[in-house]
PDB file of all heavy atoms in Angstrom:
ATOM      1  N   ASN D   1       7.207   0.013 -14.600  1.00 91.00           N
ATOM      2  CA  ASN D   1       6.606   0.548 -13.388  1.00 91.00           C
ATOM      3  C   ASN D   1       5.181   0.992 -13.675  1.00 91.00           C
ATOM      4  O   ASN D   1       4.951   1.806 -14.582  1.00 91.00           O
ATOM      5  CB  ASN D   1       7.407   1.753 -12.894  1.00 91.00           C
ATOM      6  CG  ASN D   1       8.807   1.380 -12.466  1.00 91.00           C
ATOM      7  OD1 ASN D   1       9.055   1.155 -11.294  1.00 91.00           O
ATOM      8  ND2 ASN D   1       9.730   1.332 -13.423  1.00 91.00           N
ATOM      9  N   ILE D   2       4.213   0.516 -12.913  1.00 92.00           N
ATOM     10  CA  ILE D   2       2.822   0.942 -13.078  1.00 92.00           C
ATOM     11  C   ILE D   2       2.694   2.375 -12.562  1.00 92.00           C
ATOM     12  O   ILE D   2       3.042   2.659 -11.416  1.00 92.00           O
ATOM     13  CB  ILE D   2       1.852   0.013 -12.330  1.00 92.00           C
ATOM     14  CG1 ILE D   2       1.898  -1.398 -12.920  1.00 92.00           C
ATOM     15  CG2 ILE D   2       0.427   0.565 -12.384  1.00 92.00           C
ATOM     16  CD1 ILE D   2       1.012  -2.401 -12.199  1.00 92.00           C
ATOM     17  N   THR D   3       2.198   3.273 -13.439  1.00 90.00           N
ATOM     18  CA  THR D   3       2.028   4.676 -13.068  1.00 90.00           C
ATOM     19  C   THR D   3       0.558   5.044 -12.873  1.00 90.00           C
ATOM     20  O   THR D   3       0.255   6.086 -12.297  1.00 90.00           O
ATOM     21  CB  THR D   3       2.629   5.602 -14.142  1.00 90.00           C
ATOM     22  OG1 THR D   3       1.997   5.328 -15.405  1.00 90.00           O
ATOM     23  CG2 THR D   3       4.136   5.391 -14.259  1.00 90.00           C
ATOM     24  N   SER D   4      -0.342   4.203 -13.355  1.00 85.00           N
ATOM     25  CA  SER D   4      -1.764   4.460 -13.212  1.00 85.00           C
ATOM     26  C   SER D   4      -2.525   3.149 -13.362  1.00 85.00           C
ATOM     27  O   SER D   4      -2.151   2.308 -14.173  1.00 85.00           O
ATOM     28  CB  SER D   4      -2.230   5.456 -14.277  1.00 85.00           C
ATOM     29  OG  SER D   4      -3.626   5.663 -14.203  1.00 85.00           O
ATOM     30  N   VAL D   5      -3.588   3.002 -12.576  1.00 86.00           N
ATOM     31  CA  VAL D   5      -4.463   1.831 -12.669  1.00 86.00           C
ATOM     32  C   VAL D   5      -5.869   2.352 -12.930  1.00 86.00           C
ATOM     33  O   VAL D   5      -6.370   3.195 -12.184  1.00 86.00           O
ATOM     34  CB  VAL D   5      -4.426   0.998 -11.361  1.00 86.00           C
ATOM     35  CG1 VAL D   5      -5.348  -0.202 -11.461  1.00 86.00           C
ATOM     36  CG2 VAL D   5      -2.999   0.548 -11.051  1.00 86.00           C
ATOM     37  N   VAL D   6      -6.504   1.862 -14.003  1.00 83.00           N
ATOM     38  CA  VAL D   6      -7.862   2.311 -14.348  1.00 83.00           C
ATOM     39  C   VAL D   6      -8.804   1.933 -13.204  1.00 83.00           C
ATOM     40  O   VAL D   6      -8.903   0.759 -12.841  1.00 83.00           O
ATOM     41  CB  VAL D   6      -8.327   1.667 -15.668  1.00 83.00           C
ATOM     42  CG1 VAL D   6      -9.790   1.997 -15.948  1.00 83.00           C
ATOM     43  CG2 VAL D   6      -7.440   2.115 -16.822  1.00 83.00           C
ATOM     44  N   PRO D   7      -9.485   2.932 -12.612  1.00 79.00           N
ATOM     45  CA  PRO D   7     -10.416   2.627 -11.516  1.00 79.00           C
ATOM     46  C   PRO D   7     -11.478   1.614 -11.951  1.00 79.00           C
ATOM     47  O   PRO D   7     -12.023   1.719 -13.051  1.00 79.00           O
ATOM     48  CB  PRO D   7     -11.055   3.984 -11.205  1.00 79.00           C
ATOM     49  CG  PRO D   7     -10.095   4.997 -11.729  1.00 79.00           C
ATOM     50  CD  PRO D   7      -9.441   4.357 -12.915  1.00 79.00           C
ATOM     51  N   ASP D   8     -11.705   0.621 -11.127  1.00 82.00           N
ATOM     52  CA  ASP D   8     -12.680  -0.437 -11.385  1.00 82.00           C
ATOM     53  C   ASP D   8     -12.336  -1.292 -12.606  1.00 82.00           C
ATOM     54  O   ASP D   8     -13.178  -2.058 -13.074  1.00 82.00           O
ATOM     55  CB  ASP D   8     -14.100   0.129 -11.543  1.00 82.00           C
ATOM     56  CG  ASP D   8     -14.554   0.874 -10.296  1.00 82.00           C
ATOM     57  OD1 ASP D   8     -14.275   0.384  -9.180  1.00 82.00           O
ATOM     58  OD2 ASP D   8     -15.159   1.937 -10.438  1.00 82.00           O
ATOM     59  N   GLY D   9     -11.135  -1.158 -13.149  1.00 86.00           N
ATOM     60  CA  GLY D   9     -10.705  -1.959 -14.286  1.00 86.00           C
ATOM     61  C   GLY D   9     -10.171  -3.304 -13.820  1.00 86.00           C
ATOM     62  O   GLY D   9     -10.107  -3.602 -12.617  1.00 86.00           O
ATOM     63  N   PRO D  10      -9.771  -4.166 -14.763  1.00 91.00           N
ATOM     64  CA  PRO D  10      -9.302  -5.506 -14.424  1.00 91.00           C
ATOM     65  C   PRO D  10      -8.138  -5.536 -13.438  1.00 91.00           C
ATOM     66  O   PRO D  10      -8.128  -6.340 -12.505  1.00 91.00           O
ATOM     67  CB  PRO D  10      -8.891  -6.094 -15.771  1.00 91.00           C
ATOM     68  CG  PRO D  10      -9.661  -5.324 -16.781  1.00 91.00           C
ATOM     69  CD  PRO D  10      -9.821  -3.955 -16.217  1.00 91.00           C
ATOM     70  N   SER D  11      -7.155  -4.658 -13.615  1.00 91.00           N
ATOM     71  CA  SER D  11      -5.998  -4.649 -12.713  1.00 91.00           C
ATOM     72  C   SER D  11      -6.364  -4.174 -11.318  1.00 91.00           C
ATOM     73  O   SER D  11      -5.882  -4.714 -10.321  1.00 91.00           O
ATOM     74  CB  SER D  11      -4.875  -3.775 -13.286  1.00 91.00           C
ATOM     75  OG  SER D  11      -4.310  -4.412 -14.411  1.00 91.00           O
ATOM     76  N   ALA D  12      -7.223  -3.156 -11.237  1.00 90.00           N
ATOM     77  CA  ALA D  12      -7.674  -2.673  -9.930  1.00 90.00           C
ATOM     78  C   ALA D  12      -8.429  -3.765  -9.199  1.00 90.00           C
ATOM     79  O   ALA D  12      -8.220  -3.989  -8.002  1.00 90.00           O
ATOM     80  CB  ALA D  12      -8.552  -1.439 -10.104  1.00 90.00           C
ATOM     81  N   THR D  13      -9.290  -4.465  -9.911  1.00 91.00           N
ATOM     82  CA  THR D  13     -10.058  -5.559  -9.319  1.00 91.00           C
ATOM     83  C   THR D  13      -9.142  -6.669  -8.813  1.00 91.00           C
ATOM     84  O   THR D  13      -9.388  -7.258  -7.758  1.00 91.00           O
ATOM     85  CB  THR D  13     -11.064  -6.129 -10.350  1.00 91.00           C
ATOM     86  OG1 THR D  13     -11.924  -5.064 -10.762  1.00 91.00           O
ATOM     87  CG2 THR D  13     -11.886  -7.254  -9.766  1.00 91.00           C
ATOM     88  N   ALA D  14      -8.068  -6.941  -9.556  1.00 92.00           N
ATOM     89  CA  ALA D  14      -7.124  -7.999  -9.171  1.00 92.00           C
ATOM     90  C   ALA D  14      -6.202  -7.576  -8.029  1.00 92.00           C
ATOM     91  O   ALA D  14      -5.555  -8.425  -7.413  1.00 92.00           O
ATOM     92  CB  ALA D  14      -6.289  -8.423 -10.377  1.00 92.00           C
ATOM     93  N   GLY D  15      -6.104  -6.256  -7.739  1.00 91.00           N
ATOM     94  CA  GLY D  15      -5.281  -5.793  -6.632  1.00 91.00           C
ATOM     95  C   GLY D  15      -3.968  -5.143  -7.007  1.00 91.00           C
ATOM     96  O   GLY D  15      -3.158  -4.842  -6.126  1.00 91.00           O
ATOM     97  N   LEU D  16      -3.724  -4.894  -8.297  1.00 93.00           N
ATOM     98  CA  LEU D  16      -2.495  -4.205  -8.690  1.00 93.00           C
ATOM     99  C   LEU D  16      -2.558  -2.749  -8.237  1.00 93.00           C
ATOM    100  O   LEU D  16      -3.629  -2.161  -8.126  1.00 93.00           O
ATOM    101  CB  LEU D  16      -2.298  -4.273 -10.201  1.00 93.00           C
ATOM    102  CG  LEU D  16      -1.901  -5.654 -10.728  1.00 93.00           C
ATOM    103  CD1 LEU D  16      -1.952  -5.679 -12.244  1.00 93.00           C
ATOM    104  CD2 LEU D  16      -0.520  -6.039 -10.244  1.00 93.00           C
ATOM    105  N   ARG D  17      -1.371  -2.161  -7.985  1.00 93.00           N
ATOM    106  CA  ARG D  17      -1.291  -0.801  -7.476  1.00 93.00           C
ATOM    107  C   ARG D  17      -0.245   0.005  -8.228  1.00 93.00           C
ATOM    108  O   ARG D  17       0.702  -0.548  -8.805  1.00 93.00           O
ATOM    109  CB  ARG D  17      -0.884  -0.803  -5.997  1.00 93.00           C
ATOM    110  CG  ARG D  17      -1.832  -1.490  -5.078  1.00 93.00           C
ATOM    111  CD  ARG D  17      -1.318  -1.359  -3.667  1.00 93.00           C
ATOM    112  NE  ARG D  17      -2.049  -2.217  -2.749  1.00 93.00           N
ATOM    113  CZ  ARG D  17      -1.628  -2.536  -1.543  1.00 93.00           C
ATOM    114  NH1 ARG D  17      -0.471  -2.064  -1.096  1.00 93.00           N
ATOM    115  NH2 ARG D  17      -2.354  -3.315  -0.767  1.00 93.00           N
ATOM    116  N   ILE D  18      -0.400   1.335  -8.151  1.00 93.00           N
ATOM    117  CA  ILE D  18       0.628   2.224  -8.687  1.00 93.00           C
ATOM    118  C   ILE D  18       1.929   1.918  -7.938  1.00 93.00           C
ATOM    119  O   ILE D  18       1.931   1.752  -6.727  1.00 93.00           O
ATOM    120  CB  ILE D  18       0.221   3.695  -8.485  1.00 93.00           C
ATOM    121  CG1 ILE D  18      -1.007   4.014  -9.336  1.00 93.00           C
ATOM    122  CG2 ILE D  18       1.373   4.635  -8.816  1.00 93.00           C
ATOM    123  CD1 ILE D  18      -1.615   5.374  -9.068  1.00 93.00           C
ATOM    124  N   GLY D  19       3.028   1.845  -8.690  1.00 92.00           N
ATOM    125  CA  GLY D  19       4.331   1.549  -8.086  1.00 92.00           C
ATOM    126  C   GLY D  19       4.748   0.095  -8.222  1.00 92.00           C
ATOM    127  O   GLY D  19       5.931  -0.222  -8.070  1.00 92.00           O
ATOM    128  N   ASP D  20       3.791  -0.820  -8.485  1.00 93.00           N
ATOM    129  CA  ASP D  20       4.163  -2.218  -8.727  1.00 93.00           C
ATOM    130  C   ASP D  20       5.067  -2.296  -9.947  1.00 93.00           C
ATOM    131  O   ASP D  20       4.928  -1.523 -10.897  1.00 93.00           O
ATOM    132  CB  ASP D  20       2.910  -3.079  -8.955  1.00 93.00           C
ATOM    133  CG  ASP D  20       2.106  -3.304  -7.681  1.00 93.00           C
ATOM    134  OD1 ASP D  20       2.610  -3.010  -6.577  1.00 93.00           O
ATOM    135  OD2 ASP D  20       0.956  -3.783  -7.799  1.00 93.00           O
ATOM    136  N   LYS D  21       5.994  -3.227  -9.925  1.00 94.00           N
ATOM    137  CA  LYS D  21       6.944  -3.412 -11.024  1.00 94.00           C
ATOM    138  C   LYS D  21       6.761  -4.809 -11.604  1.00 94.00           C
ATOM    139  O   LYS D  21       6.781  -5.793 -10.874  1.00 94.00           O
ATOM    140  CB  LYS D  21       8.378  -3.234 -10.523  1.00 94.00           C
ATOM    141  CG  LYS D  21       8.669  -1.845  -9.994  1.00 94.00           C
ATOM    142  CD  LYS D  21      10.007  -1.814  -9.264  1.00 94.00           C
ATOM    143  CE  LYS D  21      10.370  -0.452  -8.746  1.00 94.00           C
ATOM    144  NZ  LYS D  21       9.338   0.345  -8.164  1.00 94.00           N
ATOM    145  N   PHE D  22       6.578  -4.891 -12.925  1.00 93.00           N
ATOM    146  CA  PHE D  22       6.414  -6.184 -13.590  1.00 93.00           C
ATOM    147  C   PHE D  22       7.749  -6.919 -13.663  1.00 93.00           C
ATOM    148  O   PHE D  22       8.750  -6.365 -14.100  1.00 93.00           O
ATOM    149  CB  PHE D  22       5.887  -6.016 -15.012  1.00 93.00           C
ATOM    150  CG  PHE D  22       4.460  -5.556 -15.106  1.00 93.00           C
ATOM    151  CD1 PHE D  22       4.092  -4.658 -16.093  1.00 93.00           C
ATOM    152  CD2 PHE D  22       3.491  -6.018 -14.242  1.00 93.00           C
ATOM    153  CE1 PHE D  22       2.774  -4.230 -16.209  1.00 93.00           C
ATOM    154  CE2 PHE D  22       2.177  -5.594 -14.343  1.00 93.00           C
ATOM    155  CZ  PHE D  22       1.816  -4.700 -15.323  1.00 93.00           C
ATOM    156  N   ILE D  23       7.735  -8.178 -13.251  1.00 91.00           N
ATOM    157  CA  ILE D  23       8.906  -9.038 -13.377  1.00 91.00           C
ATOM    158  C   ILE D  23       8.690 -10.042 -14.514  1.00 91.00           C
ATOM    159  O   ILE D  23       9.540 -10.220 -15.373  1.00 91.00           O
ATOM    160  CB  ILE D  23       9.193  -9.779 -12.043  1.00 91.00           C
ATOM    161  CG1 ILE D  23       9.332  -8.786 -10.881  1.00 91.00           C
ATOM    162  CG2 ILE D  23      10.424 -10.673 -12.188  1.00 91.00           C
ATOM    163  CD1 ILE D  23      10.426  -7.747 -11.051  1.00 91.00           C
ATOM    164  N   ARG D  24       7.512 -10.689 -14.498  1.00 91.00           N
ATOM    165  CA  ARG D  24       7.149 -11.644 -15.554  1.00 91.00           C
ATOM    166  C   ARG D  24       5.704 -11.394 -15.977  1.00 91.00           C
ATOM    167  O   ARG D  24       4.858 -11.049 -15.171  1.00 91.00           O
ATOM    168  CB  ARG D  24       7.272 -13.090 -15.076  1.00 91.00           C
ATOM    169  CG  ARG D  24       8.674 -13.514 -14.680  1.00 91.00           C
ATOM    170  CD  ARG D  24       8.736 -14.976 -14.258  1.00 91.00           C
ATOM    171  NE  ARG D  24       8.726 -15.902 -15.370  1.00 91.00           N
ATOM    172  CZ  ARG D  24       9.759 -16.102 -16.194  1.00 91.00           C
ATOM    173  NH1 ARG D  24      10.862 -15.424 -16.027  1.00 91.00           N
ATOM    174  NH2 ARG D  24       9.672 -16.955 -17.188  1.00 91.00           N
ATOM    175  N   VAL D  25       5.432 -11.608 -17.267  1.00 91.00           N
ATOM    176  CA  VAL D  25       4.069 -11.607 -17.803  1.00 91.00           C
ATOM    177  C   VAL D  25       3.888 -12.970 -18.451  1.00 91.00           C
ATOM    178  O   VAL D  25       4.602 -13.327 -19.388  1.00 91.00           O
ATOM    179  CB  VAL D  25       3.853 -10.483 -18.833  1.00 91.00           C
ATOM    180  CG1 VAL D  25       2.460 -10.587 -19.450  1.00 91.00           C
ATOM    181  CG2 VAL D  25       4.060  -9.113 -18.198  1.00 91.00           C
ATOM    182  N   ASN D  26       2.941 -13.736 -17.899  1.00 91.00           N
ATOM    183  CA  ASN D  26       2.790 -15.150 -18.258  1.00 91.00           C
ATOM    184  C   ASN D  26       4.135 -15.827 -18.039  1.00 91.00           C
ATOM    185  O   ASN D  26       4.655 -15.773 -16.939  1.00 91.00           O
ATOM    186  CB  ASN D  26       2.206 -15.321 -19.651  1.00 91.00           C
ATOM    187  CG  ASN D  26       0.746 -14.851 -19.713  1.00 91.00           C
ATOM    188  OD1 ASN D  26      -0.012 -15.033 -18.767  1.00 91.00           O
ATOM    189  ND2 ASN D  26       0.369 -14.228 -20.813  1.00 91.00           N
TER     190      ASN D  26
END
């Protein structure tokens, strides 16, 4: 579970949000 997204970081730029849950990585 994403608990924090670095402001202006790669994930924030891509649209990830707090609360998103990873299912697959690559």
Side-chain angles (χ1 to χ4, degrees):
N1 295 264
I2 296 177
T3 58
S4 177
V5 179
V6 173
D8 300 319
S11 289
T13 302
L16 288 171
R17 298 182 191 164
I18 294 171
D20 288 347
K21 297 168 178 41
F22 290 142
I23 305 301
R24 298 182 78 72
V25 175
N26 292 324

